Amino acid sequence: MAEVPGWVVWLGVAVAVDVAVVITLVAIGHRLLARELALLVPNLFRLFRGLLGDPRVPWHAKAVLGLGLLWIASPIDLIPEFVPIVGPLDDAIVAAGVLGYVVRVAGREVVCEHWPGDPTILARLFRMA
């Protein structure tokens, strides 16, 4: 039987802890927070991927988006993903910085067109930027 790589084990642990946190938030009545927490990283990934393919976004902003996408996808974080609630926080901070730059060079409307999630979460990311 083949040995499972360490990063796969860590990813599995992070996903299991995130799922447990989301279930706990739902159980104590925080459904909206649970939903947005569960969807934050996938929504950021989709947003950045969409912006990378948009011809209205200049190449230098796409380079920053690519670096942000690598950060979000990377298993190495300032705050580990398995830390409840604040685990995705460093991803949100990096995303806010990247989005702030992209908004300055491509426009807020372009970013809003590609956001697949709740508009209030994107508004919070804009405020963080």
Side-chain angles (χ1 to χ4, degrees):
M1 186 173 205
E3 186 175 322
V4 177
W7 68 270
V8 173
V9 173
W10 278 109
L11 181 62
V13 169
V15 168
V17 170
D18 278 349
V19 168
V21 168
V22 169
I23 290 170
T24 302
L25 287 171
V26 169
I28 62 174
H30 295 286
R31 289 180 191 265
L32 181 60
L33 178 58
R35 179 178 170 273
E36 291 307 319
L37 180 63
L39 295 176
L40 178 63
V41 172
N43 282 343
L44 288 172
F45 183 79
R46 279 186 241 133
L47 171 66
F48 283 21
R49 190 182 63 202
L51 289 169
L52 282 169
D54 194 316
R56 298 171 290 179
V57 177
W59 69 268
H60 49 87
K62 289 182 181 184
V64 172
L65 281 163
L67 291 172
L69 194 56
L70 285 174
W71 178 273
I72 292 168
S74 171
I76 301 170
D77 287 324
L78 294 176
I79 304 169
E81 295 296 330
F82 60 83
V83 176
I85 308 299
V86 297
L89 186 59
D90 63 332
D91 291 332
I93 292 169
V94 168
V98 169
L99 288 177
Y101 180 72
V102 173
V103 165
R104 283 191 300 279
V105 298
R108 189 178 190 126
E109 302 78 28
V110 173
V111 174
C112 290
E113 285 177 27
H114 291 281
W115 178 249
D118 183 348
T120 59
I121 300 303
L122 184 59
R124 287 182 190 150
L125 288 172
F126 284 150
R127 281 193 302 273
M128 286 175 64

XYZ file of all heavy atoms in Angstrom, residues 48 52 61-73 94 98:
126
model
N -10.624 35.230 -8.225
C -9.300 35.490 -8.783
C -9.148 34.823 -10.145
O -8.583 35.395 -11.067
C -8.216 35.012 -7.826
C -7.979 35.937 -6.659
C -8.931 36.851 -6.248
C -6.799 35.882 -5.959
C -8.710 37.695 -5.174
C -6.557 36.718 -4.881
C -7.507 37.626 -4.490
N -8.396 36.764 -13.624
C -7.215 36.428 -14.434
C -7.582 36.277 -15.906
O -6.776 36.588 -16.787
C -6.560 35.138 -13.930
C -5.707 35.269 -12.680
C -5.341 33.899 -12.127
C -4.453 36.081 -12.971
N -1.785 43.628 -12.869
C -2.786 43.236 -11.871
C -2.999 41.728 -11.911
O -3.216 41.099 -10.871
C -4.095 43.970 -12.120
N -2.896 41.131 -13.093
C -3.003 39.671 -13.204
C -1.836 38.986 -12.512
O -1.997 37.913 -11.910
C -3.092 39.248 -14.662
C -4.424 39.606 -15.292
C -4.513 39.146 -16.732
C -5.870 39.552 -17.304
N -6.074 39.056 -18.659
N -0.657 39.601 -12.568
C 0.497 39.037 -11.853
C 0.237 39.055 -10.349
O 0.507 38.067 -9.653
C 1.764 39.824 -12.202
N -0.309 40.148 -9.836
C -0.644 40.242 -8.411
C -1.740 39.232 -8.068
O -1.682 38.567 -7.031
C -1.073 41.690 -8.053
C -1.617 41.768 -6.647
C 0.101 42.647 -8.235
N -2.739 39.091 -8.948
C -3.799 38.103 -8.739
C -3.230 36.688 -8.693
O -3.637 35.870 -7.865
C -4.843 38.191 -9.851
C -5.860 39.302 -9.733
C -6.556 39.536 -11.068
C -6.865 38.993 -8.647
N -2.292 36.402 -9.585
C -1.673 35.080 -9.599
C -0.952 34.784 -8.303
O -1.061 33.676 -7.752
N -0.228 35.773 -7.788
C 0.454 35.588 -6.503
C -0.556 35.404 -5.371
O -0.367 34.563 -4.490
C 1.374 36.777 -6.215
C 2.601 36.891 -7.115
C 3.331 38.205 -6.858
C 3.528 35.702 -6.924
N -1.641 36.176 -5.412
C -2.694 36.019 -4.402
C -3.341 34.655 -4.477
O -3.611 34.023 -3.447
N -3.561 34.171 -5.679
C -4.147 32.850 -5.872
C -3.225 31.766 -5.331
O -3.675 30.825 -4.671
C -4.442 32.628 -7.353
C -5.329 31.469 -7.746
C -6.667 31.547 -7.040
C -5.532 31.453 -9.247
N -1.934 31.921 -5.574
C -0.969 30.968 -5.023
C -0.994 30.986 -3.500
O -0.905 29.937 -2.856
C 0.440 31.278 -5.526
C 0.731 30.903 -6.963
C 2.109 31.407 -7.373
C 0.627 29.405 -7.169
N -1.118 32.172 -2.913
C -1.178 32.281 -1.456
C -2.407 31.556 -0.908
O -2.327 30.795 0.041
C -1.216 33.745 -1.022
C -1.329 33.887 0.464
C -2.475 33.902 1.205
C -0.269 33.959 1.399
N -2.192 34.009 2.537
C -0.833 34.043 2.687
C 1.121 33.987 1.278
C -0.061 34.152 3.835
C 1.888 34.094 2.428
C 1.288 34.167 3.681
N -3.551 31.802 -1.527
C -4.793 31.189 -1.055
C -4.749 29.676 -1.203
O -5.210 28.938 -0.331
C -6.008 31.796 -1.801
C -6.191 33.257 -1.385
C -7.280 31.003 -1.533
C -7.158 34.029 -2.241
N -4.165 29.197 -2.305
C -4.106 27.757 -2.557
C -3.015 27.069 -1.736
O -3.069 25.860 -1.532
C -3.869 27.498 -4.039
N -4.944 38.849 2.647
C -4.214 38.878 1.379
C -5.173 39.203 0.236
O -4.866 40.033 -0.627
C -3.486 37.534 1.136
C -2.963 37.442 -0.287
C -2.350 37.367 2.130
N -5.001 42.339 -2.424
C -4.989 42.106 -3.870
C -6.186 42.788 -4.522
O -6.050 43.465 -5.551
C -4.984 40.587 -4.174
C -5.239 40.325 -5.648
C -3.663 39.961 -3.738
